[in-house]
């Protein structure tokens, strides 16, 4: 049966049986024009012009950018020390490691997963790197081994999720305990001191006045942005997070993509541990405690959805920067740290609430 398609009425011309001379000379006398149907004033005026909003320009991270600008403006007015060079340098160093871990966490969240082990992996990688350096190993091999430990544990997380079919929450929660226990055993719960000064320069040095940590964090964010927006692998990540079964039927290697994102998350957690050990000049076995929750919070505040397939590397970095600015401002204004925790918790609830509201509106067609 042919499909009926509605079309707007258009002006038509019909031929009548009137005699050629009935209405006047000329061949047009035998033609009759049917008047066009009148349209509503709104239709005759044409489509309304849509107002371009910040969300159209900046995407899902636009809300985080607004919060960040408001926080920076408020702290600039409230404290004369906020925009000083020393404070901004300290802020950059504090936020950089959180940002690196948050970007790695984002990749896992985009696949509708979660990685609770990044904090423990950070502590293990940092302490192991410090132990190798104190034992006399050169700096570069020690760094590579420290990052390699994080990468290996990330691969194990991916295998537990894809091969053992464990829920990501359970798999990474188990790895959280394993990695933390390993670092406490290997260090006997003691701080590892005596790392070379050249190693400390990696995180505490500057290039043209810009902290090295900020440059590294910006480079990691830029690379992950490129991967997610300009590569096939990035499209695969969003496809897996949107619907794994549909992605599999479309030819996406779902298992390999899932293992890869956990591997990258572990790699960046290992890199964060090495940089933290360099910044502190020591390997601290309890380092990274609670970092996994901060990384998840940064992603959510930056516009990522815990249901997968929504978020960006820039948004995750923005979320980490918001948390760093709030903590830094709280210290400058002598605000109780407990209030800052409440504020961050409220931001998380508001961000998730808006995401759910937008999802419901999209599902109902507006």
């Amino acid at each position: 049966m042919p499909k009926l398609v509605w079309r707007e009425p258009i002006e038509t011309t019909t031929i009548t049986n009137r005699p050629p001379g009935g209405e006047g000379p000329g061949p047009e006398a035998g033609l009759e024009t049917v008047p066009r149907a009148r349209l509503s004033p709104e239709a005759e005026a044409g489509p309304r012009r849509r107002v371009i909003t910040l969300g159209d320009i900046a995407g899902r991270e636009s809300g985080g950018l607004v919060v960040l600008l408001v926080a920076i403006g408020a702290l600039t007015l409230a404290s004369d020390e906020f925009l000083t060079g020393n404070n901004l340098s300290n802020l950059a160093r504090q936020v950089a490691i959180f940002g690196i871990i948050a970007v790695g966490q984002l990749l896992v969240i985009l696949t509708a997963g979660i990685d609770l082990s990044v904090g423990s992996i950070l502590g293990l990688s940092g302490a192991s790197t410090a132990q190798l350096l104190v034992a006399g190993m050169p700096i570069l091999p020690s760094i590579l081994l420290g990052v390699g430990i994080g990468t290996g544990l990330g691969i194990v997380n991916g295998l537990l999720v894809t091969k053992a079919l464990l829920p990501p929450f359970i798999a990474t929660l188990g790895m959280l305990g394993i990695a933390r226990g390993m670092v406490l055993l290997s260090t006997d719960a003691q701080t590892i001191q005596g790392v070379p000064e050249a190693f400390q320069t990696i995180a505490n040095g500057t290039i043209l006045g810009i902290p090295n940590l900020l440059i590294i964090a910006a480079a990691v964010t830029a690379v992950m942005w490129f991967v997610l927006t300009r590569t096939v692998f990035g499209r695969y990540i969003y496809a897996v997070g949107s619907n794994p079964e549909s992605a599999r039927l479309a030819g996406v290697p779902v298992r390999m993509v899932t293992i890869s994102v956990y591997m990258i998350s572990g790699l960046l957690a290992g890199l964060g541990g090495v940089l933290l050990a360099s910044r502190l000049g020591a390997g601290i076995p309890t380092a990274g405690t609670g970092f996994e929750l901060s990384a998840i919070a940064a992603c959510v505040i930056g516009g990522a959805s815990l249901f997968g397939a929504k978020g960006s590397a820039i948004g995750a970095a923005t979320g980490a920067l918001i948390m760093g600015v709030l903590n830094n401002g709280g210290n400058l204004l002598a605000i109780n740290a407990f209030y800052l925790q409440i504020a961050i918790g409220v931001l998380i609830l508001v961000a998730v609430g808006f995401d759910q509201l937008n999802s419901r509106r999209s599902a109902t067609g507006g």
Side-chain angles (χ1 to χ4, degrees):
M1 180 178 180
K3 183 179 179 180
L4 300 179
V5 180
W6 169 257
R7 299 182 182 275
E8 295 292 336
I10 59 175
E11 185 174 335
T12 59
T13 302
T14 58
I15 301 176
T16 64
N17 293 326
R18 296 179 184 179
E23 294 293 334
E28 293 82 2
L31 302 178
E32 179 180 4
T33 300
V34 178
R36 183 177 62 180
R38 298 189 63 183
L39 303 177
S40 63
E42 294 79 1
E44 291 181 353
R48 295 181 179 179
R49 293 184 178 181
R50 186 174 179 271
V51 178
I52 298 178
T53 63
L54 180 61
D56 298 322
I57 300 174
R60 290 178 59 87
E61 59 266 23
S62 59
L65 292 174
V66 171
V67 173
L68 178 61
L69 293 176
V70 170
I72 291 176
L75 290 174
T76 301
L77 295 176
S79 174
D80 296 333
E81 299 179 1
F82 179 72
L83 290 182
T84 60
N86 290 333
N87 183 65
L88 292 179
S89 179
N90 292 331
L91 175 61
R93 291 188 174 93
Q94 293 170 3
V95 172
I97 296 175
F98 282 115
I100 291 172
I101 299 173
V103 170
Q105 183 75 247
L106 172 73
L107 299 184
V108 178
I109 290 178
L110 288 177
T111 61
I114 202 80
D115 190 352
L116 298 178
S117 65
V118 291
S120 298
I121 292 176
L122 179 146
L124 177 59
S125 297
S128 299
T129 302
Q131 285 180 312
L132 294 172
L133 290 170
V134 171
M137 181 175 288
I139 294 177
L140 183 58
S142 299
I143 292 175
L144 293 178
L145 286 174
V147 175
I149 290 173
T151 305
L153 294 181
I155 294 175
V156 174
N157 282 334
L159 292 175
L160 290 174
V161 172
T162 58
K163 299 294 185 179
L165 300 180
L166 295 179
F169 183 91
I170 299 301
T172 57
L173 179 62
M175 184 58 69
L176 179 153
I178 293 172
R180 185 62 67 187
M182 290 173 63
V183 66
L184 291 174
L185 282 174
S186 63
T187 61
D188 197 22
Q190 300 295 320
T191 300
I192 308 301
Q193 298 179 340
V195 298
E197 292 186 3
F199 175 70
Q200 300 181 42
T201 305
I202 296 175
N204 296 311
T206 61
I207 297 178
L208 300 177
I210 303 175
N212 292 345
L213 276 179
L214 181 60
I215 296 174
I216 296 173
V220 170
T221 303
V223 170
M224 288 300 104
W225 172 85
F226 179 82
V227 168
L228 290 174
T229 59
R230 296 292 186 269
T231 67
V232 175
F233 177 68
R235 296 178 183 178
Y236 284 173
I237 292 175
Y238 285 103
V240 171
S242 178
N243 192 319
E245 183 60 21
S246 297
R248 185 186 65 81
L249 295 175
V252 176
V254 176
R255 285 187 176 181
M256 185 58 64
V257 171
T258 303
I259 294 173
S260 297
V261 296
Y262 282 98
M263 179 190 71
I264 296 173
S265 178
L267 184 151
L268 293 181
L271 176 62
V274 171
L275 294 175
L276 184 60
S278 173
R279 180 169 179 262
L280 300 177
I284 301 177
T286 57
T289 302
F291 279 28
E292 58 278 347
L293 299 181
S294 298
I296 296 171
C299 293
V300 172
I301 293 173
S305 172
L306 294 177
F307 298 98
K310 296 179 182 178
S312 69
I314 296 177
T318 300
L321 187 56
I322 290 173
M323 297 176 63
V325 167
L326 290 178
N327 289 324
N328 180 261
N331 293 332
L332 292 177
L333 301 177
I335 298 176
N336 192 326
F338 299 146
Y339 290 117
L340 296 178
Q341 292 183 2
I342 294 174
I344 293 174
V346 170
L347 280 177
I348 295 173
L349 294 177
V350 171
V352 175
F354 272 115
D355 179 68
Q356 291 296 296
L357 179 61
N358 291 332
S359 299
R360 287 194 293 268
R361 286 180 176 178
S362 299
T364 57

